[in-house]
């Protein structure tokens, strides 16, 4: 199949891309800045990159007409104060352009929106879904997820910062709000397995892990996995602004993202329509298993993507290697350089270090 992938430089897109390529699909990656997108050589044979800014309707003319399916994985929550309007514009431009192509299915990763009163963030996600589903020329499949747990995900890194930095937490009352976290591995499974499945056309589904937990439970179970003793106390008097500052100062998130997260954390995100588990034969993992998998990736330096990779994070020059570098404070550095004649030969030598060759 010929597949259009938006959000190719983002957290989800970077993990989905190699799966699509391994299955032999031709993938067209939409990126705003091609210079920031450097897929490995092994993926370039059946991959093309087009310069597309979803806010610029004219740039969408770069999208070829002969695509079979498309993934909509873009999100603007932390990019601007008016991100809801920006998201609507992006979705409208995308829908209108795809109406001029041969695409049959669009797969959209959204948020769980089962409560009557939604946060600003979740209302925006639902608005995008409504716009994308309003076309008569293709069918939309919407996968609605809550908190995504995986190495490099924003949720995982925030939880990790809180648990590993604070032995005792005085937390806002939303710490008792329930949610249904899902591992990144299962999210990618659902996204790929939904491709081309006509029984999913024109429908939406909730995807979540095996556990329904409060945020307090998530923090305490994370501490158990890490072998840390932690105490958490909730107070009813902490305002949303103070809660946002609490996340901002203790974790690696931006203040704007912290505000959006706090707003969303007051709303329960629990699956209702999860029939897709049976349709696709996928049984999502529990929360602790997702945490353990994340640390396995971190400890082996195999983080494929981070939430900071996306341009909307505001960190334009972020390199994923920065995410796994060892501490530098108080470390002695012995730096040497040498000119090499062949880059390919040198890299081959580097990958042979260890094992029988020794260190």
């Amino acid at each position: 199949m010929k597949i259009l992938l938006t959000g190719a430089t983002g957290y989800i897109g970077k993990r989905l891309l190699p799966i699509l390529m391994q299955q032999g699909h031709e993938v067209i990656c939409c990126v705003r800045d091609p210079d920031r997108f450097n897929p490995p050589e092994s993926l370039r044979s059946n991959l093309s990159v087009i310069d597309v800014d979803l806010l610029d309707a004219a740039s969408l003319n770069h999208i070829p007409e002969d695509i079979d399916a498309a993934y909509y994985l873009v999100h603007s929550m932390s990019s601007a104060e008016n991100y809801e309007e920006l998201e609507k514009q992006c979705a409208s431009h995308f829908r209108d352009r795809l109406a001029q192509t041969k695409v049959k299915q669009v797969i959209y990763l959204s948020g769980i929106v089962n409560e009557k009163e939604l946060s600003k963030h979740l209302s925006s996600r639902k608005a995008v879904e409504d716009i994308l589903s309003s076309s008569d020329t293709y069918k939309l499949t919407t996968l609605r997820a809550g908190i995504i747990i995986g190495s490099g995900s924003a949720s995982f890194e925030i939880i990790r910062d809180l648990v590993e930095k604070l032995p005792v937490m005085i937390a806002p009352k939303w710490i008792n709000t329930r949610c249904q976290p899902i591992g990144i591995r299962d999210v990618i499974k659902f996204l790929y397995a939904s491709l081309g499945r006509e029984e999913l056309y024109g429908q939406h589904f909730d995807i979540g892990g095996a556990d329904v937990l409060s945020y307090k439970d998530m923090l305490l179970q994370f501490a158990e996995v890490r072998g840390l003793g932690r105490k958490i106390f909730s107070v009813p008097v902490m305002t949303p602004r103070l809660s946002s500052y609490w996340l901002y100062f203790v974790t690696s998130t931006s203040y704007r993202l912290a505000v959006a997260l706090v707003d969303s954390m007051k709303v329960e995100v629990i699956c209702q329509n999860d029939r897709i588990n049976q349709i696709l034969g996928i049984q999502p993992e529990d929360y602790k298993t997702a945490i353990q998998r994340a640390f396995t990736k971190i400890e082996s330096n195999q983080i494929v993507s981070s939430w900071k990779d996306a341009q909307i994070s505001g960190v334009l020059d972020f390199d994923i290697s920065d995410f796994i570098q060892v501490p530098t404070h108080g470390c002695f550095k012995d730096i040497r350089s040498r000119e090499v004649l062949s880059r390919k030969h040198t890299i081959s030598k580097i990958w042979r270090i260890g094992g029988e060759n020794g260190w």
Side-chain angles (χ1 to χ4, degrees):
M1 295 177 69
K2 193 169 186 177
I3 301 169
L4 184 74
L5 178 64
T6 66
T9 60
Y11 179 70
I12 302 293
K14 275 190 174 180
R15 299 192 179 222
L16 180 61
L17 176 59
I19 305 299
L20 296 173
M21 299 297 293
Q22 287 168 9
Q23 297 301 318
H25 297 293
E26 180 183 353
V27 182
I28 299 97
C29 296
C30 296
V31 299
R32 281 188 291 178
D33 183 0
D35 292 335
R36 294 183 64 247
F37 185 61
N38 297 298
E41 294 291 336
S42 59
L43 298 182
R44 292 178 183 255
S45 59
N46 212 23
L47 178 150
S48 57
V49 181
I50 56 176
D51 188 350
V52 171
D53 182 348
L54 293 177
L55 287 173
D56 177 9
S59 72
L60 273 72
N61 291 326
H62 296 153
I63 296 175
E65 295 184 4
D66 59 342
I67 54 174
D68 301 303
Y71 284 95
Y72 194 82
L73 304 177
V74 295
H75 194 8
S76 304
M77 184 169 73
S78 60
S79 65
E81 292 183 4
N82 63 331
Y83 66 82
E84 316 104 284
E85 187 57 38
L86 296 179
E87 289 205 320
K88 289 178 183 178
Q89 289 179 29
C90 289
S92 297
H93 293 162
F94 189 75
R95 175 202 59 196
D96 294 345
R97 172 53 187 158
L98 260 61
Q100 302 169 353
T101 70
K102 297 179 180 179
V103 68
K104 296 178 181 178
Q105 181 191 25
V106 173
I107 300 174
Y108 169 49
L109 181 62
S110 183
I112 294 177
V113 288
N114 294 327
E115 295 297 301
K116 291 182 180 179
E117 292 187 16
L118 298 175
S119 66
K120 186 178 176 182
H121 157 56
L122 290 175
S123 295
S124 180
R125 298 278 77 198
K126 182 62 170 62
V128 169
E129 180 181 335
D130 292 340
I131 292 170
L132 293 176
S133 64
S134 63
S135 176
D136 296 327
T137 60
Y138 63 79
K139 298 298 182 181
L140 181 70
T141 300
T142 303
L143 304 181
R144 298 172 174 174
I147 287 182
I148 297 176
I149 301 298
S151 55
S153 79
S155 301
F156 174 85
E157 293 305 323
I158 288 171
I159 293 170
R160 182 184 183 186
D161 281 341
L162 290 173
V163 171
E164 299 194 355
K165 292 178 181 178
L166 302 176
V168 178
M169 296 181 224
I170 307 299
K173 61 182 179 180
W174 51 252
I175 202 78
N176 295 311
T177 303
R178 298 187 306 159
C179 61
Q180 195 164 350
I182 182 171
I184 180 61
R185 186 176 186 223
D186 288 321
V187 173
I188 299 303
K189 279 184 183 179
F190 279 115
L191 284 170
Y192 177 71
S194 299
L195 183 64
R197 296 292 293 262
E198 294 187 10
E199 64 267 45
L200 306 183
Y201 286 9
Q203 297 191 62
H204 61 78
F205 304 92
D206 296 339
I207 58 174
D211 301 320
V212 175
L213 305 166
S214 68
Y215 291 111
K216 181 177 180 178
D217 293 332
M218 290 174 64
L219 292 169
L220 291 175
Q221 288 194 22
F222 190 103
E224 286 180 28
V225 172
R226 299 294 286 156
L228 300 170
R230 293 294 183 260
K231 300 289 185 183
I232 303 175
F233 304 96
S234 62
V235 293
V237 294
M238 193 176 290
T239 66
R241 179 180 289 273
L242 284 175
S243 297
S244 301
Y245 279 124
W246 183 63
L247 283 183
Y248 173 60
F249 287 124
V250 176
T251 73
S252 58
T253 185
S254 66
Y255 178 70
R256 189 169 288 158
L257 179 56
V259 171
L261 289 172
V262 167
D263 189 35
S264 295
M265 285 173 173
K266 301 179 223 171
V267 181
E268 287 197 341
V269 283
I270 300 173
C271 297
Q272 291 182 7
N273 176 19
D274 58 0
R275 293 182 300 110
I276 195 170
N277 293 11
Q278 286 70 45
I279 295 173
L280 299 181
I282 297 174
Q283 294 304 317
E285 298 173 332
D286 60 79
Y287 174 68
K288 282 188 175 179
T289 299
I291 294 293
Q292 289 163 347
R293 285 191 183 280
F295 275 103
T296 298
K297 293 292 185 183
I298 292 170
E299 290 164 3
S300 59
N301 282 3
Q302 293 181 358
I303 302 176
V304 176
S305 62
S306 163
W307 68 279
K308 294 183 179 180
D309 292 344
Q311 199 168 26
I312 59 170
S313 70
V315 186
L316 299 183
D317 296 321
F318 184 81
D319 189 335
I320 190 59
S321 63
D322 294 340
F323 194 72
I324 52 178
Q325 283 179 345
V326 297
T328 56
H329 179 68
C331 297
F332 175 76
K333 294 183 181 180
D334 183 3
I335 301 174
R336 310 185 189 198
S337 62
R338 180 178 176 181
E339 221 175 283
V340 297
L341 299 178
S342 169
R343 179 177 181 273
K344 184 176 180 181
H345 179 70
T346 303
I347 290 176
S348 175
K349 288 284 189 181
I350 290 172
W351 284 116
R352 290 198 186 109
I353 294 175
E356 295 180 357
N357 288 331
W359 297 90

